[in-house]
């Protein structure tokens, strides 16, 4: 019925919690759904690849991050309007976590969720 359909449409299509570790070292995934891989790209930047692609690149991402002793960090993503290789696609997106001064930093704890449709 429509109640079940609406509930299913509102569920997260992918999520993960992970430790970015130090730049150049493996990203440690704590738990995930529909996340095939987490790849260290640069300080504060992780590429997240979906196990099952989304139906378009108009999905919503929200997240949190925390870097130990950094005095506050901000979770960010590269959008779909950039011409960079970090552009959002149906298969992956990139986070970019920064301290409050704007400097990219690896996070001890990052968690995200994606809302959208599966292909």
């Amino acid at each position: 019925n429509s109640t079940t359909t609406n509930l299913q449409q509102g569920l997260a299509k992918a999520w993960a919690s992970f430790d970015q570790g130090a730049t150049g070292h493996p990203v440690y995934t704590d738990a995930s759904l529909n996340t095939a891989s987490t790849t260290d790209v640069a300080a504060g930047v992780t590429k997240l690849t979906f196990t099952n692609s989304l139906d378009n690149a108009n999905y919503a991402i929200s997240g949190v991050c925390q870097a130990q002793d950094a005095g506050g960090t901000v979770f960010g993503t590269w959008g779909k309007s950039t011409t960079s290789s970090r552009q959002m696609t149906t298969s992956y997106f990139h986070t970019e976590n920064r301290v409050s001064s704007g400097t990219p930093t690896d996070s001890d704890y990052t968690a995200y969720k994606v809302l959208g449709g599966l292909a």
Side-chain angles (χ1 to χ4, degrees):
N1 68 25
S2 63
T3 303
T4 303
T5 300
N6 288 336
L7 178 63
Q8 290 172 343
Q9 290 173 351
L11 296 176
K13 301 306 186 262
W15 62 265
S17 64
F18 56 93
D19 179 347
Q20 287 180 308
T23 301
H25 293 87
V27 175
Y28 299 101
T29 304
D30 299 320
S32 68
L33 171 73
N34 196 29
T35 303
S37 64
T38 52
T39 306
D40 181 45
V41 176
V45 180
T46 300
K47 179 180 180 181
L48 295 121
T49 304
F50 303 124
T51 304
N52 298 295
S53 295
L54 279 77
D55 61 354
N56 61 58
N58 296 320
Y59 49 89
I61 305 167
S62 65
V64 296
C65 65
Q66 182 268 327
Q68 186 173 351
D69 301 325
T73 50
V74 178
F75 173 87
T77 62
W78 284 74
K80 62 181 187 169
S81 61
T82 180
T83 56
S84 166
S85 63
R86 296 179 185 172
Q87 181 176 30
M88 286 171 59
T89 73
T90 58
S91 301
Y92 62 84
F93 72 97
H94 291 76
T95 65
E96 183 164 346
N97 301 333
R98 296 173 178 260
V99 293
S100 56
S101 67
T103 304
T105 188
D106 288 323
S107 176
D108 299 310
Y109 174 77
T110 300
Y112 82 90
K113 67 180 174 184
V114 170
L115 301 174
L118 293 173

